[in-house]
Amino acid sequence: MGALDGKVAIVTGGASGIGKAIVEAFVREGARVIVGDVDAAGIGRLIGELGHNQVDGAEVDVRDEAAVERMVGQAVRRFGRLDIAVNNAGVGGFAPIQAYPLEEWDRVVGISLTGTFLCIKHEAARMMAQGKGGSIINIASLNAIQPAEGFAAYCAAKAGVAMLTKVAALELGRHGIRVNAIGPGLIHTPATAPMTAVPGLEAAFIAETALGRAGEPEDVAGLALYLASDASSLMTGQTLYIDGGASLKKYPELFSFVGAAGSGAG
Ligand code: NAD
């Protein structure tokens, strides 16, 4: 018997990296999952891997409210209900603050923070209508509490996700809906490949952890599974940091690696 038998979940950004590992873990534990992503080909590959009985896809840009509403409706049409939602879609962007392009700020904050808000809004409305509670999990970041040079928009957006998690938990608790967040440290995914390719940068990050390693998507999926399941039924409003202890120390000085302190985007 799986921990999520009979449950229906949405995972945004589920076609790659951390989101994909969460989809795989949820399916292994018996859930049926709607993968919401802009990457239609990636969704198709995941359905091929896990089977169309367990997984369906919604092509959605989380900044598009009508598309987010359709994604929630699709979970209900296809699998009959919505119990769990992982709002994982998010992007970073690197530039020193005096040269940070406004459109890049809008892209990072739009996907990572406003997109999370739009998803919570429509997921919560559906869960309230069902009257059986639910679990919403937002993917924040170590950078919600630890500043990183060059990541002004990303750090601000992820700090916003951590606070949004608290407000949503406060409002939705009366409906039995729990809202928590996960703050990963450096995790090996396609998104971090350019960063870990910078000579010395990953070693510098690892030197600032307690456990002496970066993470894998499966590390984060294990925590998402806990927050999705009844094992965490008394927990709400929390951001749990899964970072090898990196939050105990400091973030590497990125400008010393990429030399972008005075220039445009690095
Ligand atoms: P990834 O690039 O491997 O996956 C991100 C997925 O989101 C992709 O499938 C992409 O197509 C999708 N996506 C991008 N924009 C979208 C949009 N507008 N609407 C819907 N889907 C969209 O990245 P990842 O490293 O797995 O990151 C997943 C989440 O984890 C992000 O929120 C990221 O900020 C967060 N995070 C990652 C790390 C890390 O080290 N990898 C650390 C902390 C937080």
Side-chain angles (χ1 to χ4, degrees), residues 144-243:
I145 51 167
Q146 201 172 66
E149 292 173 349
F151 281 105
Y154 185 73
C155 292
K158 293 299 190 178
V161 169
M163 179 51 81
L164 180 60
T165 298
K166 293 190 193 191
V167 175
L170 194 61
E171 292 188 17
L172 298 172
R174 71 203 70 189
H175 303 284
I177 301 169
R178 300 185 297 110
V179 189
N180 293 288
I182 296 175
L186 178 61
I187 309 294
H188 294 128
T189 71
T192 52
M195 201 172 154
T196 52
V198 175
L201 186 43
E202 181 170 2
F205 180 88
I206 288 172
E208 300 290 352
T209 66
L211 293 180
R213 72 170 177 98
E216 303 303 328
E218 292 71 24
D219 290 311
V220 184
L223 180 52
L225 184 58
Y226 168 71
L227 291 173
S229 77
D230 293 341
S232 61
S233 64
L234 192 60
M235 181 174 287
T236 197
Q238 305 304 307
T239 297
L240 302 177
Y241 292 93
I242 179 160
D243 59 5

Side-chain angles (χ1 to χ4, degrees), residues 83-133:
D83 306 291
I84 299 158
V86 183
N87 300 318
N88 162 77
V91 293
F94 182 88
I97 202 160
Q98 75 278 10
Y100 212 105
L102 176 58
E103 65 186 33
E104 179 64 357
W105 172 279
D106 285 341
R107 186 183 75 90
V108 173
V109 174
I111 295 172
S112 304
L113 178 57
T114 310
T116 300
F117 154 68
L118 290 173
C119 289
I120 294 173
K121 174 179 172 181
H122 291 282
E123 293 154 357
R126 178 63 216 172
M127 289 174 180
M128 284 166 65
Q130 290 173 180
K132 300 255 186 233

Side-chain angles (χ1 to χ4, degrees), residues 12-19 36-39 60-63 87-92 111-112 139-143 154 158 183-192:
T12 69
S16 172
I18 291 170
D37 205 296
V38 285
D39 177 5
V60 58
D61 183 326
V62 293
R63 292 169 292 185
N87 300 318
N88 162 77
V91 293
I111 295 172
S112 304
I139 305 300
S141 168
L142 166 64
N143 295 129
Y154 185 73
K158 293 299 190 178
L186 178 61
I187 309 294
H188 294 128
T189 71
T192 52

